[in-house]
Amino acid sequence: MTLHPSPILNSFLDTDAYKLHMQQAVFHHYYDVDVTAKFRCRGDELLGSYAEAITAQIALMSQLSLSDDEFAYLSTLPFFTADYLQWLRHFRFNPQQVTVSNHHGKLDIRIRGPWREVILWEVPLLAVISEVVHRSRTPDVSAVHAVAKLRRTLEQFRERSQGIDLSHFKLMDFGTRRRFSRDVQHEIVSVLQQEFPYLIGTSNYDLARRLVLTPVGTQAHEWFQAHQQLGATLANSQRAALHAWLVEYPDQLGIALTDCITMDAFLRDFDLDFANAYQGLRHDSGDPIDWGEKTIAHYQRLGIDPMSKTLVFSDNLHLEKTLTLYRHFSQRINLVFGIGTRLTCDIPGVTPLNIVIKLVECNGRPVAKLSDSPGKTICHDAAFISALRKAFDLPRIRKAS
């Protein structure tokens, strides 16, 4: 590793839209809340040897700031308030909030500090980790290889979709966090914009600005996790999170994430008022067909026409899988597909990293994610898991990992 590495990130907006959307809500409602987030590699890779290179990139992130052009761009969007954007102009990443170590070969990263600041680390840091690793493992791979693979994938999609009415098919790029590289994501999204008429937006604010695409994204698991320690009762935490989001965004950014405490627990809280107020729901774990059927049935029980709502599928998608879901649901409810890793790190000879950064504490107390895929469950506090299961009347034990 060079003693003076060049920065992987060169734009403050090289992050997912939902991070800024959540940050504004935290800025307005939870300014003094402190959190801890932790890195986790869901695979078996030993990434500890990259700790030094990652630390060097973290130090360089302190130089990122919102440029005048980026500030002007955000100011044109209906999501943001003037007080938040003025504060954001002065925001700087604080590398002292991040500790990185090689723990017996495993990469250990923890981030501690005010939620309003910690919230921005996740996406760019995961992108940095991914690019550091891939640069080392496959240095000869470039965007040319990624685009060649994408064009083959698009041709297969065209062949398999013959005879299908795709007039309502919609695709979004969700590929920032685990992309092969910044350049690869830019080239992939550029090609999709030019050659795939179903692309409607990207979660990456930098790409949205530079390519004149719609920025997309609402909230992530951490929004619901933090509320487990921000309210009076644990059993009401999910409803509190849903309500607080509507206070900040009463008539926009209305796609709710469903799997922080499992879909069944979510639907018990997602009553008629919430179902009317939110434009739709996002799937991120568990069987997508079962999830979609449960959602449609729930809307119907509430007397809501499912065709007035939208389902966003975003869990481990690839284009072939989107066709299966589109065939199954497109006549009954509106659909949007968000594809990440299978677009921006889909290159022959490259193994994508299965890495995440999630909240583990809020105000010094544990928080948890109990998704509909047991391997995605995150919490190391058995007592809190038990309390959460009891509060939400979860029917079966899910292994915490």
Side-chain angles (χ1 to χ4, degrees):
M1 184 192 73
T2 177
L3 293 177
H4 301 286
S6 60
I8 287 174
L9 304 175
N10 57 29
S11 168
F12 183 83
L13 290 186
D14 191 4
T15 190
D16 278 343
Y18 69 3
K19 301 306 290 191
L20 297 185
H21 301 161
M22 288 190 297
Q23 187 187 45
Q24 176 173 269
V26 172
F27 172 78
H28 284 144
H29 304 286
Y30 304 113
Y31 192 86
D32 295 323
V33 169
D34 290 319
V35 298
T36 300
K38 189 177 186 301
F39 169 83
R40 178 185 176 195
C41 180
R42 290 173 175 154
D44 296 327
E45 292 109 327
L46 295 177
L47 305 178
S49 61
Y50 300 101
E52 184 179 356
I54 291 165
T55 300
Q57 288 294 327
I58 288 171
L60 292 171
M61 287 175 66
S62 65
Q63 301 172 14
L64 291 171
S65 63
L66 197 65
S67 71
D68 290 343
D69 287 345
E70 290 171 338
F71 174 82
Y73 166 72
L74 294 182
S75 299
T76 67
L77 301 174
F79 316 131
F80 297 117
T81 61
D83 61 337
Y84 166 68
L85 290 182
Q86 288 295 337
W87 175 81
L88 193 63
R89 292 189 87 159
H90 302 286
F91 177 91
R92 300 293 185 275
F93 285 99
N94 179 5
Q96 293 183 346
Q97 294 171 342
V98 187
T99 59
V100 183
S101 64
N102 180 350
H103 184 68
H104 303 297
K106 293 186 177 182
L107 182 62
D108 188 286
I109 301 177
R110 290 180 180 268
I111 312 167
R112 296 183 177 90
W115 191 17
R116 66 184 186 273
E117 298 175 7
V118 169
I119 199 167
L120 279 198
W121 278 105
E122 176 197 355
V123 172
L125 182 49
L126 287 173
V128 161
I129 294 167
S130 187
E131 187 156 350
V132 164
V133 173
H134 291 311
R135 278 182 176 182
S136 174
R137 290 181 172 177
T138 50
D140 296 328
V141 170
S142 70
V144 172
H145 302 93
V147 168
K149 177 56 168 39
L150 173 64
R151 289 202 166 107
R152 293 195 295 271
T153 300
L154 294 182
E155 182 57 34
Q156 292 171 351
F157 179 88
R158 294 183 190 104
E159 293 173 357
R160 291 168 182 167
S161 61
Q162 287 184 4
I164 301 174
D165 178 8
L166 294 179
S167 57
H168 300 294
F169 190 94
K170 297 176 181 178
L171 176 70
M172 302 183 297
D173 157 52
F174 277 10
T176 304
R177 293 184 303 161
R178 292 187 283 266
R179 66 196 183 192
F180 180 86
S181 69
R182 179 178 179 272
D183 289 343
V184 163
Q185 185 180 20
H186 180 274
E187 291 303 312
I188 290 294
V189 176
S190 296
V191 170
L192 287 171
Q193 185 181 31
Q194 297 162 13
E195 302 180 15
F196 195 69
Y198 313 107
L199 182 73
I200 65 166
T202 174
S203 64
N204 185 292
Y205 255 125
D206 179 48
L207 288 178
R209 183 181 74 90
R210 291 192 288 127
L211 298 178
V212 194
L213 287 167
T214 301
V216 291
T218 56
Q219 80 242 157
H221 297 102
E222 68 182 289
W223 182 254
F224 292 91
Q225 287 180 278
H227 281 82
Q228 294 164 11
Q229 298 294 355
L230 294 176
T233 62
L234 186 56
N236 197 48
S237 62
Q238 195 163 227
R239 292 179 57 83
L242 288 166
H243 173 73
W245 190 259
L246 292 176
V247 172
E248 185 68 24
Y249 302 109
D251 54 9
Q252 54 195 1
L253 302 181
I255 300 294
L257 184 59
T258 64
D259 71 327
C260 189
I261 319 272
T262 76
M263 178 60 163
D264 290 340
F266 177 86
L267 290 180
R268 287 196 293 270
D269 284 340
F270 198 63
D271 60 19
L272 180 61
D273 288 340
F274 284 135
N276 278 323
Y278 279 88
Q279 286 99 56
L281 302 177
R282 178 162 74 91
H283 171 263
D284 198 49
S285 64
D287 183 271
I289 298 290
D290 290 347
W291 178 89
E293 292 293 348
K294 284 182 180 181
T295 303
I296 290 173
H298 187 72
Y299 280 132
Q300 290 172 334
R301 280 194 299 270
L302 295 175
I304 295 174
D305 179 6
M307 290 303 294
S308 68
K309 299 298 179 180
T310 298
L311 301 186
V312 179
F313 289 92
S314 63
D315 179 35
N316 195 28
L317 284 188
H318 49 75
L319 277 173
E320 184 175 354
K321 190 174 181 180
T322 65
L323 277 179
T324 300
L325 295 171
Y326 185 79
R327 288 191 193 98
H328 190 89
F329 289 115
S330 63
Q331 299 301 310
R332 294 189 287 155
I333 196 165
N334 297 299
L335 300 173
V336 179
F337 302 104
I339 303 184
T341 309
R342 300 297 186 93
L343 283 178
T344 60
C345 199
D346 185 21
I347 308 171
V350 174
T351 301
L353 298 180
N354 193 354
I355 54 177
V356 295
I357 292 174
K358 296 294 183 184
L359 286 197
V360 293
E361 290 182 356
C362 178
N363 283 339
R365 298 186 295 272
V367 298
K369 173 193 171 192
L370 305 179
S371 79
D372 289 298
S373 296
K376 289 188 171 185
T377 296
I378 292 178
C379 186
H380 295 282
D381 189 306
F384 184 71
I385 288 283
S386 295
L388 198 62
R389 285 179 45 77
K390 181 177 181 180
F392 285 91
D393 192 25
L394 297 183
R396 63 186 179 89
I397 296 175
R398 295 176 179 271
K399 182 181 177 182
S401 56

